Amino acid sequence: MITIKVPCSSANIGPGFDVIGLALSLWLEVEVTVGDEASKKAPHNCRITYEGQGESGVDLQPDRNLITQTALYVLRCHQKRSFPEPTHVHIRNPIPLGRGLGSSGAAVVAGVSLGNEVGKLDLTKDRILDFCLMIERHPDNVAAALYGGFVGSYLKELDPEDMKRKEVPLAEVLPAPQGGEDTGLTPPVPPIDIGKHIRFPWASEIKCIAIIPDFEVATAEARTVLPTSYSKADVIYNLQRVALLTTALGQSPPNPELIYDGMQDKIHQPYRQTLIPGLTEILRSVTPESHPGLLGICLSGAGPTVLALATSNFDEIAAHLIKQFAVENIKSRWELLEPAYDGLTVTHSERSQDAGMTYADAGVSIDLGNELVQSIKAAVASTRRPGADAEIGGFGGALDLAAAGYTEPPILIQAIDGVGTKLKIAFAMDDYSTVGIDLVAMNVNDLIVQGAEPLTFMDYYACSKLNVPDAVRFVEGVAEGCKQAGCALVGGETAEMPGMYQGKEFDAGGAATGALKKGRTLLPDKSAMREGDCLIGLVSNGAHSNGYSLIRKIVERAGLSYNDKAPWDGSQTVGKSLLKPTRIYVKQLMPAVEQDLILGMAHITGGGLEDNIPRMLPKHLAADVDVSTWTVPPVLRWLKKTGNVSSREFARTWNTGLGMVLVVSADKADKLVQVLDDAGEKAVRMGKLVEHEGQGVILHKMEVWDEAS
């Protein structure tokens, strides 16, 4: 079995018409079985099967399908009229056809590689490029697909007579059959070194948003709208920009102004607006100022796909562009892609023609899953505790309650939660080291407020394609959260679901189990609460894990990228600061719980003070709160001011600076504060319980939230 993989590509990047191309993380895959019995009577000794984009319209005749037609051209240049042995070619193609994402370029590279492999020709990559350029005359596409990464290239002049020969396939005019005719003549063999290329650096934080409209633009048609000559001013305009752009896209952090201006073009995009409704307006509708995180935007190849380069806010940018296409009654979808640095890859494996398909064929790698398990075993084992050995690899996690200290049957308490859209910032920063702590925190904090000791934790990690290093960083964060909470990570689930998520994105959930010793009161103890009971607050360290959809909107409106310096903390970037993990309060609170000092607790999460405090109170009591008694973290103060968020909305969106609120009887308040202080926790006396007269939480002195810090 031979497997050929070729990435898609975006050509004509900005002003680089026919000059620069970028390989992207969407791969054409060709599986080749040589000596296939079912292919013995097939034309040219080749049988084609196909799955993927445009399936119903793809020609499966080997002398008309671009991949095998190209392979036949290469073979005939080496005096081989057909495939040397009966060959089954299975094509798996996720690259949209006729959308400007290099589907023909990828097919040509795959076809030359196919001819090289079945003919055992030992062509170098540079020689493969020569053959590619005889068919696909635009080096930006094929050079990017062949070599991978961000590539500049040029094509030497070719003999016009050779280019007229029927034996040379022409990628531009497909799917209509053209060239490749079996005249019996030897096709013109490409001269050596007819194309040259160089790979430019690319800043790792730059991702590619591909907006893919639901219609095709044929390459040949797109070229007919171009003029035969250009003004000197327009040519100079493009040359000036392309000279800077190739360097600017490799600099970190990227310069949005330089890149956005550097991606402007007067050579090809203005002429294609007749083929793509609203193109000019769509390209002008987003800027780094209107959509922070955006770096630049251009047509991908001949279109109609639009390529937006960005470092963050991918969802918002994509949604805006899709809406702009919708104004023209054009449906579109989007993909978040990254540079594909490998280019053409060929692997050989022993597999008989009768072998069944594998799970890996469908995009799910059991081997990667096993690699992940081995990679995280040490981190998981570090969370072991009495009653749970924290060993993974079995069918479930075990807990011995007696060994955990529960000699009599306890009440078991369970919690389940996720991280939410804070993950979006982790994706933008490519930093997954802390969101695992958030996942644990959101669960175990919900256990401790009920008086339960967290004992075990289990996590769920779902992605389209498992990236083991990313998953390891995430699970190591989960393990760190478990250690902070004193619970064991006894198991988890990793779900690899091709097509469900974009690029490296994933989702995560978790569930925790805790226990309440027999005879101990399940909190909140509402029947014991009285008017005059004290409210004690435990400080937060920022937004924790809530309100991040609004946070992202405010950051975008402020014109910031996640790599910019945080206005509220000059020592960190915006993204790093916003990824500060949620505080875990378990070990600080357990001594107070065990001494029966607390009547009730509220974990301040989504809904803020206004929605969470009433959840622990009886209906006849309300919380009377003096908000001047604690300090609002700088990040929350900045978000409130920059987003022009009202004090009422502020109090029901974020924690305002308190991660926990406790109720304690007035005669035990001093004792509770002392116990918390002994545990290293700063307690804030913030108010008291009063008779309920319509509001569950009464907030006083909210004007301090708007005072300059």
Side-chain angles (χ1 to χ4, degrees):
M1 170 74 70
I2 303 167
T3 302
I4 298 167
K5 292 182 70 176
V6 185
C8 75
S9 59
S10 180
N12 308 336
I13 301 292
F17 178 54
D18 274 2
V19 177
I20 52 178
L22 175 65
L24 294 169
S25 53
L26 200 60
W27 282 269
L28 168 68
E29 189 170 323
V30 181
E31 291 182 349
V32 185
T33 306
V34 178
D36 176 58
E37 285 294 321
S39 302
K40 280 187 174 180
K41 296 182 181 180
H44 304 286
N45 238 5
C46 176
R47 177 171 63 94
I48 304 172
T49 53
Y50 182 95
E51 61 177 293
Q53 296 288 317
E55 190 166 344
S56 61
V58 173
D59 201 318
L60 300 183
Q61 291 301 310
D63 58 349
R64 294 200 296 269
N65 179 278
L66 180 54
I67 294 174
T68 50
Q69 187 185 22
T70 297
L72 286 169
Y73 163 67
V74 174
L75 290 168
R76 288 168 183 170
C77 285
H78 293 82
Q79 291 74 51
K80 302 176 190 289
R81 303 304 305 169
S82 297
F83 282 68
E85 295 183 60
T87 302
H88 175 213
V89 175
H90 180 69
I91 303 166
R92 187 177 290 113
N93 178 36
I95 306 172
L97 305 179
R99 302 295 205 283
L101 284 171
S103 57
S104 63
V108 169
V109 172
V112 175
S113 179
L114 174 60
N116 182 45
E117 293 298 324
V118 299
K120 300 179 180 178
L121 306 177
D122 295 324
L123 302 178
T124 65
K125 269 198 173 182
D126 286 348
R127 190 60 179 146
I128 288 175
L129 178 63
D130 292 334
F131 279 92
C132 290
L133 291 176
M134 287 291 284
I135 301 164
E136 175 77 69
R137 308 289 159 73
H138 313 298
D140 46 356
N141 252 342
V142 294
L146 177 60
Y147 296 105
F150 183 36
V151 178
S153 55
Y154 67 80
L155 174 65
K156 294 180 179 179
E157 293 292 328
L158 297 174
D159 186 338
E161 293 304 313
D162 281 350
M163 295 301 95
K164 294 177 182 177
R165 292 277 297 273
K166 293 180 179 180
E167 294 83 10
V168 182
L170 296 176
E172 276 187 17
V173 297
L174 293 174
Q178 178 75 21
E181 183 176 325
D182 190 359
T183 62
L185 301 175
T186 299
V189 178
I192 294 174
D193 289 336
I194 59 177
K196 294 292 184 181
H197 82 285
I198 188 170
R199 192 150 89 167
F200 302 113
W202 183 272
S204 61
E205 57 263 52
I206 302 178
K207 307 293 189 290
C208 305
I209 305 167
I211 310 297
I212 308 168
D214 192 19
F215 70 95
E216 297 182 23
V217 173
T219 303
E221 182 184 5
R223 292 205 167 250
T224 62
V225 301
L226 298 178
T228 55
S229 62
Y230 296 95
S231 71
K232 177 181 177 181
D234 285 352
V235 172
I236 291 174
Y237 181 94
N238 272 42
L239 287 174
Q240 289 173 335
R241 281 154 179 77
V242 78
L244 299 179
L245 183 63
T246 50
T247 298
L249 289 171
Q251 294 178 330
S252 181
N255 183 325
E257 181 182 4
L258 185 60
I259 293 172
Y260 186 82
D261 289 343
M263 289 182 68
Q264 302 307 304
D265 159 69
K266 290 189 176 181
I267 295 298
H268 80 105
Q269 291 180 154
Y271 299 98
R272 285 175 167 147
Q273 57 187 320
T274 58
L275 302 175
I276 305 169
L279 176 62
T280 300
E281 293 75 16
I282 291 167
L283 295 179
R284 291 176 179 172
S285 70
V286 288
T287 67
E289 291 74 30
S290 68
H291 291 77
L294 178 78
L295 297 175
I297 186 168
C298 65
L299 201 59
S300 178
T305 292
V306 166
L307 192 74
L309 306 184
T311 57
S312 60
N313 293 330
F314 310 118
D315 287 345
E316 292 82 355
I317 295 167
H320 172 85
L321 292 170
I322 287 173
K323 188 179 295 184
Q324 292 298 115
F325 270 113
V327 171
E328 303 293 335
N329 295 317
I330 297 171
K331 292 182 179 179
S332 54
R333 62 183 180 86
W334 73 287
E335 296 268 1
L336 183 63
L337 304 174
E338 299 184 36
Y341 293 104
D342 290 339
L344 166 68
T345 60
V346 180
T347 56
H348 296 78
S349 60
E350 294 296 326
R351 185 174 172 187
S352 73
Q353 66 184 66
D354 296 323
M357 292 188 69
T358 67
Y359 213 176
D361 293 331
V364 179
S365 174
I366 296 173
D367 292 337
L368 284 179
N370 292 334
E371 181 185 340
L372 173 62
V373 170
Q374 294 303 315
S375 299
I376 62 177
K377 275 190 172 181
V380 173
S382 71
T383 70
R384 64 169 56 93
R385 57 152 294 145
D389 57 16
E391 290 187 5
I392 56 172
F395 291 98
L399 172 66
D400 184 337
L401 284 168
Y406 294 84
T407 54
E408 296 184 85
I411 297 174
L412 294 181
I413 311 291
Q414 294 175 299
I416 187 168
D417 211 333
V419 181
T421 58
K422 189 172 185 176
L423 283 173
K424 283 288 189 181
I425 299 176
F427 302 147
M429 296 297 291
D430 195 29
D431 182 358
Y432 313 110
S433 60
T434 60
V435 287
I437 300 174
D438 288 303
L439 182 63
V440 176
M442 297 305 290
N443 283 277
V444 297
N445 285 343
D446 281 354
L447 293 181
I448 190 64
V449 298
Q450 298 176 78
E453 177 193 14
L455 299 175
T456 64
F457 190 80
M458 301 186 80
D459 71 291
Y460 173 77
Y461 180 97
C463 58
S464 276
K465 183 170 180 60
L466 181 60
N467 182 305
V468 173
D470 289 351
V472 168
R473 285 190 288 168
F474 170 76
V475 176
E476 287 175 345
V478 173
E480 173 58 29
C482 287
K483 287 189 286 186
Q484 290 182 24
C487 63
L489 179 54
V490 296
E493 166 68 4
T494 302
E496 195 173 19
M497 300 183 286
M500 288 291 288
Y501 300 92
Q502 300 282 342
K504 293 174 69 174
E505 292 190 357
F506 62 86
D507 197 10
T513 298
L516 192 70
K517 285 189 175 180
K518 188 174 182 179
R520 193 173 296 284
T521 302
L522 177 66
L523 298 180
D525 186 0
K526 296 181 181 181
S527 63
M529 293 183 187
R530 302 287 185 270
E531 285 185 52
D533 286 345
C534 292
L535 294 172
I536 304 293
L538 307 186
V539 297
S540 71
N541 61 13
H544 284 182
S545 296
N546 297 101
Y548 272 79
S549 295
L550 180 55
I551 289 172
R552 288 161 49 231
K553 286 288 186 185
I554 293 172
V555 169
E556 178 185 355
R557 180 188 290 182
L560 293 172
S561 81
Y562 294 122
N563 292 298
D564 289 338
K565 186 177 292 186
W568 57 87
D569 182 355
S571 68
Q572 298 188 85
T573 63
V574 171
K576 185 71 174 176
S577 177
L578 290 174
L579 286 176
K580 184 177 291 185
T582 306
R583 290 195 65 204
I584 293 174
Y585 298 93
V586 173
K587 290 183 178 179
Q588 304 94 307
L589 285 169
M590 278 306 301
V593 169
E594 290 171 349
Q595 294 179 52
D596 293 322
L597 295 175
I598 302 171
L599 298 176
M601 291 184 270
H603 182 201
I604 309 304
T605 56
L609 301 172
E610 291 216 336
D611 285 1
N612 286 290
I613 293 177
R615 294 168 66 183
M616 67 168 168
L617 302 179
K619 292 182 179 180
H620 68 282
L621 293 177
D624 190 79
V625 176
D626 179 355
V627 305
S628 70
T629 56
W630 70 88
T631 301
V632 176
V635 58
L636 296 181
R637 189 177 289 276
W638 181 87
L639 287 165
K640 184 181 189 303
K641 180 180 179 180
T642 307
N644 193 26
V645 178
S646 70
S647 292
R648 183 63 63 189
E649 189 67 19
F650 185 59
R652 64 192 305 268
T653 301
W654 295 302
N655 60 58
T656 75
L658 298 178
M660 285 277 181
V661 174
L662 321 179
V663 177
V664 57
S665 61
D667 60 331
K668 293 182 179 180
D670 290 341
K671 175 66 172 175
L672 175 60
V673 170
Q674 183 60 53
V675 169
L676 291 170
D677 184 67
D678 292 343
E681 185 61 43
K682 181 182 178 181
V684 176
R685 295 175 184 264
M686 53 176 288
K688 62 183 179 180
L689 297 188
V690 297
E691 183 181 354
H692 195 294
E693 294 181 347
Q695 284 182 273
V697 179
I698 304 102
L699 300 175
H700 301 286
K701 302 182 182 179
M702 287 192 290
E703 62 273 9
V704 301
W705 287 340
D706 296 315
E707 294 175 358
S709 57

